[in-house]
Amino acid sequence: MKATVLIRPKQGILDPQGEAVGEALRTLGFGVSGARVGRLVDVDLDTEDPAEAHAALDRMSHELLANPLIESFTIELEDGA
Amino acid sequence: MKATVLIRPKQGILDPQGEAVGEALRTLGFGVSGARVGRLVDVDLDTEDPAEAHAALDRMSHELLANPLIESFTIELEDGA
């Protein structure tokens, strides 16, 4: 089963990369009031069980993929669950 | 209008960061056959028109956010369009 974890800086956490991107977009002439930069991880899981996959991804995110102190994460299973 | 651009390494493009993440997840005992790492940019646009927003995000992605030679991108408007 394929899944994606979306990882974003938490609200209130400084995001200098996002600020630079927002500034660069405005310099290019785009009407943008802000930008935040995060990352995503596409994972190919051995299990096909959505509940099991979600639980594993939650643990992966806490243990390795994200830093829960400063980042929030969202899990998306490919079937849309 | 808020929107997110999801940026991923194209198929066939080497992704050493993804390989390292996959390896680390297996070492931690997770049943994972592969992982790919990309990034995401949340953008706060001045326009509220979905078509205009989509066109602007497409140009932003080509000009600044992604490298179309080696990366693919997906645009998601917050209303789900």
Side-chain angles (χ1 to χ4, degrees):
Chain A
M1 166 173 276
K2 286 175 191 292
T4 301
V5 182
L6 305 172
I7 301 149
R8 295 177 158 98
K10 280 188 179 170
Q11 277 212 336
I13 297 289
L14 271 183
D15 174 25
Q17 203 183 349
E19 282 172 33
V21 167
E23 198 58 48
L25 288 173
R26 281 188 290 274
T27 303
L28 289 170
F30 291 107
V32 161
S33 61
R36 305 274 286 172
V37 174
R39 56 192 194 286
L40 63 89
V41 185
D42 290 324
V43 182
D44 221 326
L45 294 144
D46 296 342
T47 180
E48 292 298 327
D49 177 65
E52 201 178 305
H54 199 281
L57 289 160
D58 191 71
R59 280 192 295 127
M60 285 177 206
S61 300
H62 275 101
E63 290 179 29
L64 185 83
L65 304 179
N67 177 347
L69 283 176
I70 58 168
E71 293 170 327
S72 63
F73 61 86
T74 314
I75 292 166
E76 292 182 354
L77 301 183
E78 200 166 68
D79 56 337
Chain B
M1 163 173 277
K2 286 174 188 295
T4 301
V5 182
L6 305 171
I7 301 150
R8 296 177 159 96
K10 279 188 179 169
Q11 277 213 334
I13 297 289
L14 272 182
D15 174 25
Q17 203 184 349
E19 282 172 34
V21 167
E23 197 58 49
L25 288 173
R26 282 188 290 275
T27 303
L28 288 171
F30 291 107
V32 160
S33 61
R36 307 273 284 172
V37 175
R39 57 190 193 287
L40 64 87
V41 185
D42 290 323
V43 183
D44 221 325
L45 295 143
D46 296 340
T47 180
E48 291 298 327
D49 178 65
E52 201 178 305
H54 199 282
L57 290 160
D58 192 73
R59 280 192 295 126
M60 285 177 208
S61 300
H62 275 100
E63 289 178 31
L64 184 84
L65 304 179
N67 178 348
L69 282 176
I70 58 168
E71 293 171 326
S72 62
F73 61 86
T74 314
I75 292 166
E76 292 182 354
L77 303 183
E78 199 167 66
D79 54 339

